[in-house]
Amino acid sequence: MHFIAIEPRGFPMDTTKITEAINQPRRYFVGAAAVTAAAAQLGIVGSTAAQTTARQLPSVTPGTHTSFGPLKQIDAGVLSVAYAEAGPPDSSPVILLHGWPYDIYSFVDVAPLLASAGYRVIVPYLRGYGATRFLSSDTVRNGQPSAIASDAVAFMDALKIDKAILAGFDWGARTVNIVSALWPERCTGTVSVSGYLIGSQEAGKMPLPPEAELQWWYQFYFATERGRLGYAKNRHDFSRLIWQLASPKWKFDDATFNRTAASFDNSDHVNVVIHNYRWRLGLAEGESKYDDLEKRLAQAPVITVPTITLEGDANGAPHPEPSAYAKKFSGRYEHRTITGGIGHNLPQEAPQAFAQAVVDVAKG
């Protein structure tokens, strides 16, 4: 696995990691165990001063780690958030955000790498996943992007974290983009898979070329009552199919999938997922308390914080071309295409590259 770096602005380029360029057509869209036994259990403690000076992380083979330490729980905003934590508790925080249909296990190899480098690594379950629960039965099971981003800010507030590096993919990358655009003072830097993913209901009304529309088949399926019932009944098989389509070259095993699939048994999961995709098409209303945020997001705000964007060379999910979003980042910026058959779940398929981007955006 390698990456090619393009569009560097302010980040030092590591020429040892540049490989042959890839001419992969894109679809348009608006040691391993030597990280130590403590790292494997995500309970690393060490000298922050010594560790954060490291420029190169130890090597890890994807799939080396299969578990986190005991989860923690904290009330934050409208949620009781379940999360994993690793590394020195008083060091620089990194918050890792997953997407659909994935969960915190996308970062099971990334977290110990970053913890071994001296970072405080925090990996929360999003609303509707795992042991994260709504505090009130009266709260709308809302999946709109600004609500999920507000969850992230409330989570930081609950943990008394003023600023952090935010990194994610899929829904997590969209959340990272929104927080860095609307609350830049809360972000030390960001890492975003598939780049700039801020959208709006108005933008969602615009038709795409037929091939791109085909890629969004599940969004149209979810727009129907049959789709909601089908996902509720078959969410595990449905999610496995998405994994296969989004990462066609990733040979994950049953145990890897099942660890994540357990998080979809959350009683709010289906409602949050269905609302998210219906909201994007303008088929479901959001909550009025997020209206001002959505108006700002509809302007496609430029992101000013230091950012590294990543893309896998075999991403089968809908995603924009890197050239389409490069100008949306006005601060220090670099894009890296990760090669070697890497698909949509980039942190789990290429943990070394993802973790290295976090370290590099921090030191940039």
Side-chain angles (χ1 to χ4, degrees), residues 42-48 51-52 72 83 85-94 114-115 118-122 159-163:
L42 302 187
I44 298 171
V45 178
S47 170
T48 302
Q51 292 174 342
T52 55
K72 299 182 178 182
Y83 65 100
E85 184 169 356
D90 58 349
S91 61
S92 299
V94 176
L114 294 175
Y119 293 95
R120 179 188 181 188
V121 188
I122 304 165
L159 291 176
K160 296 181 171 53
I161 295 174
D162 291 329
K163 301 184 71 169

Side-chain angles (χ1 to χ4, degrees), residues 5-356:
I6 61 174
E7 297 282 357
R9 293 204 297 271
F11 288 99
M13 185 176 296
D14 186 347
T15 57
T16 65
K17 295 181 181 177
I18 300 176
T19 70
E20 72 283 356
I22 301 167
N23 186 20
Q24 171 100 0
R26 301 293 190 189
R27 287 172 288 275
Y28 178 77
F29 162 56
V30 182
V35 176
T36 76
Q41 294 303 317
L42 302 187
I44 298 171
V45 178
S47 170
T48 302
Q51 292 174 342
T52 55
T53 61
R55 289 295 181 265
Q56 196 69 28
L57 295 169
S59 297
V60 65
T61 300
T64 294
H65 303 95
T66 59
S67 65
F68 291 93
L71 294 181
K72 299 182 178 182
Q73 201 91 19
I74 192 169
D75 289 353
V78 299
L79 301 173
S80 173
V81 180
Y83 65 100
E85 184 169 356
D90 58 349
S91 61
S92 299
V94 176
I95 298 175
L96 305 176
L97 300 170
H98 68 83
W100 173 85
Y102 306 95
D103 78 338
I104 67 173
Y105 281 93
S106 289
F107 303 104
V108 73
D109 286 318
V110 172
L113 281 176
L114 294 175
S116 73
Y119 293 95
R120 179 188 181 188
V121 188
I122 304 165
V123 196
Y125 280 104
L126 301 186
R127 56 169 61 192
Y129 295 80
T132 290
R133 295 289 187 272
F134 286 89
L135 293 172
S136 171
S137 59
D138 295 329
T139 303
V140 178
R141 272 39 178 176
N142 184 350
Q144 73 183 105
S146 60
I148 297 172
S150 296
D151 291 344
V153 175
F155 181 62
M156 293 175 67
D157 289 343
L159 291 176
K160 296 181 171 53
I161 295 174
D162 291 329
K163 301 184 71 169
I165 298 170
L166 302 181
F169 73 107
D170 196 86
W171 289 17
R174 191 182 305 270
T175 301
V176 165
N177 291 165
I178 293 173
V179 174
S180 61
L182 299 185
W183 297 278
E185 70 280 2
R186 307 302 298 268
C187 301
T188 305
T190 68
V191 173
S192 174
V193 176
S194 297
Y196 186 90
L197 298 177
I198 293 175
S200 67
Q201 286 186 319
E202 194 63 31
K205 296 177 182 178
M206 299 300 294
L208 301 175
E211 185 181 6
E213 297 283 21
L214 177 63
Q215 289 291 303
W216 285 106
W217 64 272
Y218 54 87
Q219 182 171 252
F220 304 120
Y221 179 64
F222 288 163
T224 68
E225 181 60 13
R226 174 176 174 167
R228 188 188 71 80
L229 293 173
Y231 186 61
K233 180 179 180 180
N234 304 306
R235 71 189 77 172
H236 288 195
D237 289 344
F238 195 100
S239 298
R240 179 185 284 273
L241 175 61
I242 295 296
W243 279 34
Q244 292 167 341
L245 295 175
S247 299
K249 297 187 178 181
W250 183 32
K251 305 304 180 184
F252 59 88
D253 58 22
D254 289 344
T256 297
F257 175 77
N258 290 336
R259 276 190 291 272
T260 287
S263 72
F264 310 149
D265 293 332
N266 182 301
S267 60
D268 299 310
H269 178 77
V270 172
N271 287 335
V272 170
V273 170
I274 296 300
H275 184 270
N276 177 281
Y277 287 104
R278 289 184 179 180
W279 181 91
R280 296 191 199 189
L281 293 176
L283 301 176
E285 294 184 0
E287 292 179 85
S288 60
K289 65 181 179 179
Y290 301 116
D291 285 352
D292 288 342
L293 297 181
E294 293 296 351
K295 288 178 182 178
R296 293 169 63 189
L297 294 173
Q299 301 301 312
V302 171
I303 292 172
T304 60
V305 305
T307 297
I308 293 176
T309 58
L310 303 174
E311 189 58 84
D313 66 337
N315 185 1
H319 61 279
E321 286 277 6
S323 60
Y325 54 71
K327 293 183 180 179
K328 301 304 295 183
F329 299 93
S330 64
R332 295 196 312 274
Y333 174 72
E334 180 183 340
H335 175 75
R336 299 174 180 179
T337 295
I338 313 303
T339 67
I342 303 304
H344 189 59
N345 187 5
L346 194 149
Q348 197 161 4
E349 298 175 59
Q352 191 85 35
F354 190 90
Q356 191 64 53

